[in-house]
Amino acid sequence: MEQKIKEVDRMAANKVDNGFYGQDILSVSQFDRNKLDFIFGVADEMRMLVERFGSADLLQGKILANLFYEPSTRTSSSFMAAMLRLGGQVIPINNVQYSSVTKGESLPDTIRTLESYSDVIVIRHPEVGSAATAAHYASKPVINAGDGVGEHPTQALLDLFTVVEALGGISGLKVAMVGDLKYGRTVHSLTKLLVNYPVEFVFVSPDILRMPKDVIDVVDASGHQYTETEDVHDCIGDVDVLYITRVQKERFTDLAVYEAVKDHYVVDPALMSKAKQRMIVMHPLPRVNEISYAVDNDPRATYFRQMRNGMYVRMAVLAAVLGKA
Ligand code: NCD
């Protein structure tokens, strides 16, 4: 009996102590190293849980509203899988064109509706700040699954979790981000999260797709070193992480400009032959032409591992905000 009371106390304390219970996850700026360690620790447990048992009943009785105003394969299905593997249920809204959004319903009203049926809301939306708007109107936790060119915090969490798993740690790494640094929300979030660690940055992009000033300001303010270049050959030989991104076609107003830059960088066996033996190639996926299929079997190719880790990290995040981690 005493044992049981202690367990209940510990769970109650955890609800307060983990710092996530009932909270929105809108930006990576909410995370410090303690919080990252916590999420990574829970994600490790989730992996073991899935490998051993497949699923659990931790979130039984809980409902996730999965609201996607933009295309998604990995993010939406990994949030769904995460909820289902923890015994919860999902309201999937992937085709907003068939929802009342098409009738002209506002984001606040859609959120008010969904929060009355669910315990947590995941939202992807084309406008920067949309997840924060949703959170403003919701009393339930809101998780940002990509707000336009803004942020994609859970992607950055799974990216870092994968770096730790693949390279054993983060401190001291030289990280190159390559491609569409202007419109790529994953590199915005990843850069802002990496400033929690002593790392060095190389930003590789065409001039018109350089890292935005607000992200560079965060790097500057944290005292980190960074260099910017257009040529990936300037850094390929000495980076530990090569994080390449898709050129975000949907963000361009002039498609001729997109056509001109879309195939600027291609990771192929010739480029990989210049890279270190102990390094990793990452990509949030989907890829278009940025990584040749011939690289997929290179042991340094880490993008499919990122994708798998997404479910474990999202299981950890859902459990944390619902007070069950
Ligand atoms: C990314 C996104 O949506 O920002 N995809 C993802 O969530 N894994 C990257 C992209 O679309 O290029």
Side-chain angles (χ1 to χ4, degrees):
M1 189 61 191
E2 164 127 39
Q3 181 69 28
K4 203 165 183 183
I5 290 168
K6 273 197 192 138
E7 182 65 14
V8 170
D9 279 348
R10 195 179 61 77
M11 282 174 67
N14 273 350
K15 280 190 176 183
V16 180
D17 281 349
N18 79 24
F20 291 106
Y21 177 53
Q23 299 297 305
D24 306 306
I25 305 291
L26 303 178
S27 164
V28 289
S29 57
Q30 293 169 249
F31 292 83
D32 57 18
R33 279 174 72 159
N34 281 338
K35 289 192 166 173
L36 290 167
D37 286 346
F38 175 79
I39 291 291
F40 295 162
V42 178
D44 264 328
E45 287 173 23
M46 293 300 182
R47 183 216 311 277
M48 282 187 274
L49 185 151
V50 171
E51 282 171 0
R52 281 190 204 157
F53 308 108
S55 63
D57 58 4
L58 199 65
L59 298 184
Q60 193 171 24
K62 302 288 184 193
I63 296 180
L64 159 70
N66 216 26
L67 177 61
F68 281 71
Y69 290 80
E70 282 190 340
S72 173
T73 303
R74 273 150 294 271
T75 307
S76 75
S77 49
S78 65
F79 266 115
M80 274 186 80
M83 196 66 187
L84 296 171
R85 285 195 186 269
L86 289 175
Q89 310 254 23
V90 183
I91 303 171
I93 305 183
N94 280 76
N95 298 309
V96 284
Q97 69 268 33
Y98 298 121
S99 76
S100 288
V101 169
T102 303
K103 299 182 189 168
E105 185 166 66
S106 67
L107 180 61
D109 281 359
T110 302
I111 293 298
R112 283 186 185 110
T113 308
L114 289 174
E115 80 150 346
S116 55
Y117 307 139
S118 63
D119 303 286
V120 53
I121 297 171
V122 168
I123 180 169
R124 169 172 288 186
H125 191 284
E127 275 165 40
V128 175
S130 50
T133 303
H136 177 77
Y137 288 96
S139 57
K140 309 281 170 61
V142 170
I143 301 173
N144 180 5
D147 60 332
V149 301
E151 279 217 37
H152 193 350
T154 60
Q155 176 72 42
L157 293 174
L158 76 89
D159 290 339
L160 269 201
F161 180 75
T162 306
V163 172
V164 175
E165 184 193 74
L167 296 175
I170 302 166
S171 297
L173 298 180
K174 187 163 182 172
V175 180
M177 302 201 195
V178 183
D180 186 348
L181 307 186
K182 180 178 180 185
Y183 297 123
R185 56 193 169 202
T186 67
V187 282
H188 302 163
S189 286
L190 184 58
T191 303
K192 292 187 201 167
L193 201 56
L194 275 169
V195 298
N196 284 290
Y197 302 86
V199 296
E200 203 182 315
F201 296 98
V202 190
F203 299 126
V204 185
S205 71
D207 190 49
I208 58 160
L209 297 178
R210 281 168 67 181
M211 191 63 99
K213 185 175 177 308
D214 65 299
V215 182
I216 295 287
D217 285 348
V218 172
V219 177
D220 275 334
S222 65
H224 282 73
Q225 292 284 323
Y226 72 91
T227 48
E228 291 182 279
T229 175
E230 282 203 38
D231 190 349
V232 69
H233 293 93
D234 289 347
C235 65
I236 187 66
D238 60 358
V239 295
D240 305 291
V241 176
L242 184 80
Y243 192 105
I244 182 148
T245 63
R246 175 178 70 89
V247 178
Q248 310 277 296
K249 183 178 182 183
E250 64 275 31
R251 312 286 180 213
F252 284 75
T253 44
D254 183 350
L255 276 187
V257 178
Y258 165 75
E259 290 294 331
V261 290
K262 69 174 186 184
D263 293 326
H264 211 93
Y265 304 104
V266 179
V267 178
D268 58 13
L271 189 72
M272 290 304 288
S273 72
K274 301 193 174 79
K276 296 203 292 194
Q277 272 315 304
R278 188 175 151 75
M279 59 84 76
I280 54 174
V281 180
M282 303 181 76
H283 192 303
L285 303 177
R287 73 171 140 182
V288 186
N289 293 321
E290 313 81 54
I291 305 179
S292 103
Y293 283 73
V295 175
D296 292 356
N297 291 326
D298 188 308
R300 297 168 290 183
T302 308
Y303 28 96
F304 298 131
R305 220 156 134 183
Q306 278 170 272
M307 182 181 78
R308 280 193 296 276
N309 285 338
M311 185 177 73
Y312 306 129
V313 168
R314 289 175 175 130
M315 288 170 83
V317 169
L318 287 169
V321 300
L322 291 169
K324 299 287 185 180

